[in-house]
Amino acid sequence: MRRFSFRPALTLRGRQFKGPRGWAGKPFHPPLTDVPIGAYLLTGGPAVSVLAAFTGLWDWLRSTEADTQARRTANAHAWTMLSVTTLVLVDIALRVFAFTDDQHTPVVVRVPSVLIALLTTVGAAIGGTLTFDYGFNVETAGGSPAWHRSEDDLLPGEERPDGAEPQPPPRKRLVR
């Protein structure tokens, strides 16, 4: 029995290219968000967050329908993360222009930093809800959102080798 399967996660073969949104099942937006979150401590974070915002906007324009829960959640995610980016720019400006010679971090700089951390966590949770709760912009390889057992790598656009419909795994009963 094989223990690892990297190829389906890394291949673009069989995936439809969707412009600035990325490829079906491999969007640009989620990985671009990791860089700003990790780099908000540095000045590179806001620069990459512009790319994350652009790809997120493109997802919003092309993928959400007005008056849906997904659109409302995407709106909340966008405004939260735009607020984070604005606070990061303010934080950087304070550190670079107002408190360059201080030997300690003044409260006026610590407060935006704490707000940035809290809002980033909230924004990431909202974005995760889009993916994990609503399946927003999720395009699975097998045509089913449920995980299914297979010893074969199932790539986008391919049918299961045995021709069977994908089945969710059997539920394990918890013993109390």
Side-chain angles (χ1 to χ4, degrees), residues 46-158:
V48 179
S49 69
V50 171
L51 294 173
F54 173 72
T55 58
L57 173 64
W58 204 257
D59 278 344
W60 183 85
L61 287 171
R62 301 289 187 207
S63 301
T64 61
E65 296 177 30
D67 300 322
T68 63
Q69 184 64 40
R71 171 68 67 94
R72 291 188 298 273
T73 305
N75 291 344
H77 173 66
W79 281 106
T80 303
M81 298 317 291
L82 289 171
S83 298
V84 167
T85 301
T86 302
L87 281 171
V88 167
L89 293 172
V90 168
D91 189 52
I92 290 170
L94 285 171
R95 289 173 187 269
V96 171
F97 299 115
F99 299 101
T100 55
D101 297 330
D102 282 15
Q103 297 298 316
H104 66 284
T105 304
V107 173
V108 73
V109 174
R110 273 188 262 155
V111 169
S113 297
V114 170
L115 283 174
I116 289 164
L118 292 173
L119 281 176
T120 299
T121 302
V122 169
I126 295 168
T129 294
L130 287 166
T131 303
F132 299 112
D133 292 342
Y134 305 149
F136 174 73
N137 248 2
V138 173
E139 299 182 32
T140 62
S144 169
W147 173 84
H148 54 278
R149 294 181 186 273
S150 176
E151 283 297 311
D152 300 312
D153 288 341
L154 188 60
L155 301 173
E158 291 183 348

